[in-house]
Short mmCIF file of all heavy atoms in Angstrom, two decimals:
data_model
loop_
_atom_site.label_atom_id
_atom_site.label_comp_id
_atom_site.label_asym_id
_atom_site.label_seq_id
_atom_site.Cartn_x
_atom_site.Cartn_y
_atom_site.Cartn_z
N PHE A 265 9.17 -68.49 -117.44
CA PHE A 265 10.25 -67.55 -117.13
C PHE A 265 11.51 -67.80 -117.96
O PHE A 265 12.36 -66.91 -118.06
CB PHE A 265 10.57 -67.60 -115.64
CG PHE A 265 9.51 -66.99 -114.78
CD1 PHE A 265 8.67 -67.78 -114.02
CD2 PHE A 265 9.33 -65.61 -114.75
CE1 PHE A 265 7.66 -67.22 -113.24
CE2 PHE A 265 8.34 -65.04 -113.98
CZ PHE A 265 7.50 -65.84 -113.22
N SER A 266 11.62 -68.95 -118.57
CA SER A 266 12.79 -69.20 -119.41
C SER A 266 12.56 -68.86 -120.88
O SER A 266 13.52 -68.53 -121.59
CB SER A 266 13.22 -70.67 -119.28
OG SER A 266 12.18 -71.52 -119.75
N ALA A 267 11.28 -68.92 -121.33
CA ALA A 267 11.05 -68.76 -122.76
C ALA A 267 10.02 -67.69 -123.13
O ALA A 267 10.05 -67.19 -124.25
CB ALA A 267 10.60 -70.10 -123.37
N ILE A 268 9.14 -67.32 -122.23
CA ILE A 268 8.02 -66.44 -122.59
C ILE A 268 8.11 -65.08 -121.90
O ILE A 268 7.78 -64.05 -122.51
CB ILE A 268 6.67 -67.11 -122.25
CG1 ILE A 268 6.56 -68.46 -122.96
CG2 ILE A 268 5.51 -66.21 -122.62
CD1 ILE A 268 5.32 -69.25 -122.58
N ALA A 269 8.53 -65.04 -120.66
CA ALA A 269 8.52 -63.80 -119.88
C ALA A 269 9.37 -62.72 -120.55
O ALA A 269 10.39 -63.02 -121.17
CB ALA A 269 9.04 -64.06 -118.48
N PRO A 270 8.95 -61.45 -120.43
CA PRO A 270 9.77 -60.35 -120.96
C PRO A 270 11.16 -60.35 -120.32
O PRO A 270 11.32 -60.80 -119.18
CB PRO A 270 8.98 -59.09 -120.56
CG PRO A 270 7.58 -59.57 -120.38
CD PRO A 270 7.69 -60.97 -119.85
N PRO A 271 12.18 -59.87 -121.02
CA PRO A 271 13.54 -59.88 -120.48
C PRO A 271 13.67 -59.20 -119.13
O PRO A 271 14.42 -59.66 -118.26
CB PRO A 271 14.35 -59.15 -121.56
CG PRO A 271 13.55 -59.30 -122.81
CD PRO A 271 12.12 -59.33 -122.39
N GLU A 272 12.92 -58.08 -118.94
CA GLU A 272 13.02 -57.37 -117.66
C GLU A 272 12.54 -58.24 -116.50
O GLU A 272 13.13 -58.25 -115.43
CB GLU A 272 12.18 -56.08 -117.69
CG GLU A 272 12.51 -55.15 -118.84
CD GLU A 272 11.60 -55.37 -120.04
OE1 GLU A 272 11.20 -56.54 -120.27
OE2 GLU A 272 11.29 -54.39 -120.72
N VAL A 273 11.45 -58.96 -116.74
CA VAL A 273 10.90 -59.83 -115.69
C VAL A 273 11.83 -61.01 -115.43
O VAL A 273 12.07 -61.40 -114.29
CB VAL A 273 9.49 -60.32 -116.10
CG1 VAL A 273 8.98 -61.35 -115.09
CG2 VAL A 273 8.53 -59.14 -116.19
N ARG A 274 12.38 -61.58 -116.51
CA ARG A 274 13.30 -62.70 -116.36
C ARG A 274 14.52 -62.29 -115.53
O ARG A 274 14.95 -63.01 -114.62
CB ARG A 274 13.72 -63.21 -117.73
CG ARG A 274 14.52 -64.52 -117.67
CD ARG A 274 14.90 -64.99 -119.06
NE ARG A 274 13.73 -65.16 -119.91
CZ ARG A 274 13.51 -64.47 -121.02
NH1 ARG A 274 14.41 -63.57 -121.44
NH2 ARG A 274 12.42 -64.67 -121.74
N ALA A 275 15.05 -61.12 -115.83
CA ALA A 275 16.21 -60.63 -115.07
C ALA A 275 15.83 -60.36 -113.61
O ALA A 275 16.63 -60.60 -112.70
CB ALA A 275 16.75 -59.36 -115.72
N ARG A 276 14.63 -59.88 -113.40
CA ARG A 276 14.16 -59.58 -112.05
C ARG A 276 14.08 -60.85 -111.20
O ARG A 276 14.41 -60.83 -110.02
CB ARG A 276 12.78 -58.92 -112.15
CG ARG A 276 12.08 -58.66 -110.84
CD ARG A 276 10.68 -58.11 -111.09
NE ARG A 276 9.96 -57.99 -109.83
CZ ARG A 276 10.04 -56.97 -109.02
NH1 ARG A 276 10.82 -55.95 -109.34
NH2 ARG A 276 9.35 -56.93 -107.90
N ILE A 277 13.67 -61.96 -111.83
CA ILE A 277 13.51 -63.21 -111.10
C ILE A 277 14.86 -63.90 -110.89
O ILE A 277 15.16 -64.39 -109.80
CB ILE A 277 12.54 -64.15 -111.84
CG1 ILE A 277 11.16 -63.51 -111.98
CG2 ILE A 277 12.44 -65.49 -111.13
CD1 ILE A 277 10.49 -63.17 -110.66
N ILE A 278 15.68 -63.92 -111.94
CA ILE A 278 16.95 -64.65 -111.87
C ILE A 278 17.99 -63.90 -111.05
O ILE A 278 18.76 -64.50 -110.30
CB ILE A 278 17.48 -64.92 -113.29
CG1 ILE A 278 16.48 -65.81 -114.05
CG2 ILE A 278 18.85 -65.59 -113.24
CD1 ILE A 278 16.85 -66.04 -115.50
N ASN A 279 18.01 -62.57 -111.16
CA ASN A 279 18.99 -61.76 -110.43
C ASN A 279 18.27 -60.76 -109.52
O ASN A 279 18.15 -59.57 -109.86
CB ASN A 279 19.89 -61.01 -111.42
CG ASN A 279 20.62 -61.96 -112.36
OD1 ASN A 279 21.29 -62.88 -111.91
ND2 ASN A 279 20.48 -61.73 -113.67
N PRO A 280 17.79 -61.22 -108.37
CA PRO A 280 17.01 -60.33 -107.50
C PRO A 280 17.81 -59.19 -106.89
O PRO A 280 17.25 -58.16 -106.52
CB PRO A 280 16.50 -61.27 -106.41
CG PRO A 280 17.45 -62.41 -106.41
CD PRO A 280 17.92 -62.57 -107.82
N GLY A 281 19.16 -59.33 -106.79
CA GLY A 281 19.97 -58.27 -106.21
C GLY A 281 19.58 -57.97 -104.78
O GLY A 281 19.42 -58.86 -103.95
N SER A 282 19.35 -56.68 -104.50
CA SER A 282 18.99 -56.26 -103.14
C SER A 282 17.49 -56.18 -102.94
O SER A 282 17.02 -55.58 -101.98
CB SER A 282 19.61 -54.89 -102.84
OG SER A 282 19.10 -53.90 -103.72
N GLY A 283 16.72 -56.79 -103.89
CA GLY A 283 15.27 -56.78 -103.73
C GLY A 283 14.68 -55.40 -103.86
O GLY A 283 13.75 -55.04 -103.15
N THR A 284 15.19 -54.61 -104.82
CA THR A 284 14.71 -53.23 -105.05
C THR A 284 14.75 -52.42 -103.77
O THR A 284 13.79 -51.71 -103.44
CB THR A 284 13.29 -53.25 -105.66
OG1 THR A 284 13.17 -54.31 -106.58
CG2 THR A 284 13.01 -51.96 -106.39
N GLY A 285 15.85 -52.52 -103.03
CA GLY A 285 16.01 -51.74 -101.81
C GLY A 285 15.45 -52.38 -100.56
O GLY A 285 15.59 -51.83 -99.46
N ARG A 286 14.81 -53.55 -100.70
CA ARG A 286 14.19 -54.18 -99.53
C ARG A 286 15.22 -54.55 -98.46
O ARG A 286 14.96 -54.37 -97.26
CB ARG A 286 13.41 -55.43 -99.95
CG ARG A 286 12.02 -55.15 -100.51
CD ARG A 286 11.30 -56.46 -100.78
NE ARG A 286 9.91 -56.24 -101.16
CZ ARG A 286 9.49 -55.97 -102.38
NH1 ARG A 286 10.39 -55.87 -103.37
NH2 ARG A 286 8.22 -55.79 -102.65
N THR A 287 16.36 -55.09 -98.88
CA THR A 287 17.34 -55.52 -97.89
C THR A 287 17.84 -54.35 -97.04
O THR A 287 18.08 -54.51 -95.84
CB THR A 287 18.53 -56.21 -98.58
OG1 THR A 287 19.08 -55.34 -99.58
CG2 THR A 287 18.09 -57.51 -99.24
N ASP A 288 17.96 -53.17 -97.65
CA ASP A 288 18.36 -51.99 -96.87
C ASP A 288 17.27 -51.59 -95.90
O ASP A 288 17.55 -51.21 -94.74
CB ASP A 288 18.67 -50.82 -97.81
CG ASP A 288 19.95 -51.06 -98.62
OD1 ASP A 288 20.80 -51.82 -98.14
OD2 ASP A 288 20.07 -50.49 -99.71
N LEU A 289 16.02 -51.64 -96.34
CA LEU A 289 14.91 -51.33 -95.45
C LEU A 289 14.85 -52.33 -94.29
O LEU A 289 14.56 -51.95 -93.15
CB LEU A 289 13.59 -51.35 -96.24
CG LEU A 289 13.41 -50.21 -97.24
CD1 LEU A 289 12.23 -50.49 -98.17
CD2 LEU A 289 13.18 -48.89 -96.53
N TRP A 290 15.14 -53.58 -94.57
CA TRP A 290 15.13 -54.59 -93.52
C TRP A 290 16.27 -54.36 -92.53
O TRP A 290 16.10 -54.57 -91.32
CB TRP A 290 15.23 -56.00 -94.13
CG TRP A 290 14.05 -56.37 -94.99
CD1 TRP A 290 12.87 -55.70 -95.08
CD2 TRP A 290 13.96 -57.48 -95.86
NE1 TRP A 290 12.03 -56.33 -95.98
CE2 TRP A 290 12.67 -57.42 -96.48
CE3 TRP A 290 14.81 -58.51 -96.22
CZ2 TRP A 290 12.25 -58.36 -97.40
CZ3 TRP A 290 14.38 -59.46 -97.15
CH2 TRP A 290 13.12 -59.39 -97.72
N THR A 291 17.41 -53.91 -93.04
CA THR A 291 18.54 -53.61 -92.16
C THR A 291 18.17 -52.47 -91.20
O THR A 291 18.44 -52.53 -89.99
CB THR A 291 19.77 -53.22 -92.98
OG1 THR A 291 20.14 -54.32 -93.82
CG2 THR A 291 20.94 -52.86 -92.08
N VAL A 292 17.53 -51.44 -91.74
CA VAL A 292 17.11 -50.31 -90.91
C VAL A 292 16.07 -50.76 -89.90
O VAL A 292 16.10 -50.34 -88.73
CB VAL A 292 16.57 -49.17 -91.81
CG1 VAL A 292 15.89 -48.10 -90.96
CG2 VAL A 292 17.70 -48.55 -92.62
N ALA A 293 15.13 -51.60 -90.33
CA ALA A 293 14.10 -52.10 -89.41
C ALA A 293 14.73 -52.89 -88.27
O ALA A 293 14.32 -52.76 -87.11
CB ALA A 293 13.11 -52.96 -90.17
N THR A 294 15.74 -53.69 -88.59
CA THR A 294 16.43 -54.47 -87.56
C THR A 294 17.12 -53.54 -86.55
O THR A 294 17.06 -53.76 -85.33
CB THR A 294 17.46 -55.40 -88.20
OG1 THR A 294 16.81 -56.24 -89.15
CG2 THR A 294 18.13 -56.26 -87.15
N ARG A 295 17.76 -52.48 -87.06
CA ARG A 295 18.39 -51.51 -86.16
C ARG A 295 17.35 -50.83 -85.27
O ARG A 295 17.58 -50.57 -84.08
CB ARG A 295 19.14 -50.46 -86.98
CG ARG A 295 20.32 -51.00 -87.77
CD ARG A 295 20.89 -49.93 -88.68
NE ARG A 295 22.01 -50.44 -89.46
CZ ARG A 295 22.64 -49.73 -90.41
NH1 ARG A 295 22.24 -48.48 -90.67
NH2 ARG A 295 23.65 -50.25 -91.08
N MET A 296 16.21 -50.55 -85.86
CA MET A 296 15.14 -49.88 -85.11
C MET A 296 14.64 -50.78 -83.98
O MET A 296 14.35 -50.32 -82.86
CB MET A 296 14.00 -49.54 -86.08
CG MET A 296 13.13 -48.37 -85.68
SD MET A 296 11.92 -47.97 -86.97
CE MET A 296 12.96 -47.19 -88.19
N ILE A 297 14.52 -52.08 -84.27
CA ILE A 297 14.05 -53.03 -83.25
C ILE A 297 15.08 -53.15 -82.13
O ILE A 297 14.73 -53.19 -80.94
CB ILE A 297 13.79 -54.41 -83.90
CG1 ILE A 297 12.64 -54.31 -84.90
CG2 ILE A 297 13.46 -55.45 -82.84
CD1 ILE A 297 12.48 -55.52 -85.79
#
Side-chain angles (χ1 to χ4, degrees):
F265 289 106
S266 62
I268 303 175
E272 305 95 326
V273 174
R274 189 179 303 119
R276 174 185 174 85
I277 299 300
I278 297 175
N279 302 306
S282 63
T284 322
R286 279 185 173 84
T287 54
D288 290 335
L289 290 168
W290 296 348
T291 299
V292 169
T294 303
R295 295 173 181 175
M296 206 175 286
I297 295 168

